[in-house]
Amino acid sequence: MTAAPPEVLAELQELRIRVPHLTGSMVASTDGLVIAHLLSHAEPDGMAALTAAALGVGARLTDAVGHGGFRELLVSGEFGYVATYAAGTSSVLTLLAAADANVGRLNLEARRSCPRIAALLDASPAHRRQV
């Protein structure tokens, strides 16, 4: 796990409070390194690698159809959601939510958190050295 400001973990904890049915959260670098996480039912390094792969596919897809840069990706499974959001240019926020989660609320709160996470990481000397 790369060094992250404690405020990034605090932001993940706040998301858990603001989003009912959130089951996990993670901030990772765009190249698949864990920055911070609150995951109990998923392996963080594996999730970060999968997130980077999904980010790559999502970015190529939006580019191929002329819809600009990647912003977010929502995957709906039988038992819940996996949502990934761009958090600046070098990191992503991934949220796991139960099937009964309010997806509108999930998106709203994630979209509010991403600029804060990006600002925290951009201001972190340790993160800038590792990205």
Side-chain angles (χ1 to χ4, degrees):
M1 183 165 12
T2 63
E7 295 88 358
V8 173
L9 188 56
E11 185 67 33
L12 294 181
Q13 291 166 334
E14 286 294 318
L15 271 169
R16 183 164 276 170
I17 293 167
R18 294 190 312 261
V19 180
H21 308 289
L22 192 65
T23 60
S25 57
M26 176 182 65
V27 175
S29 66
T30 55
D31 58 352
L33 298 175
V34 177
I35 296 171
H37 74 88
L38 292 176
L39 297 171
S40 57
H41 300 294
E43 198 276 314
D45 291 328
M47 280 294 301
L50 287 169
T51 295
L55 172 66
V57 171
R60 284 194 309 233
L61 183 60
T62 57
D63 186 53
V65 297
H67 285 185
F70 174 85
R71 287 198 180 167
E72 58 195 55
L73 174 68
L74 177 69
V75 178
S76 175
E78 184 178 356
F79 303 114
Y81 299 94
V82 180
T84 299
Y85 305 85
T89 58
S90 62
S91 60
V92 292
L93 169 67
T94 296
L95 301 178
L96 308 177
D100 55 349
N102 179 328
V103 177
R105 179 69 180 262
L106 180 80
N107 284 328
L108 175 69
E109 295 298 342
R111 291 170 185 159
R112 288 178 175 170
S113 289
C114 285
R116 291 191 290 264
I117 291 168
L120 289 167
L121 293 176
D122 288 347
S124 168
H127 179 71
R128 282 196 308 265
R129 280 194 304 270
Q130 293 174 344
V131 173

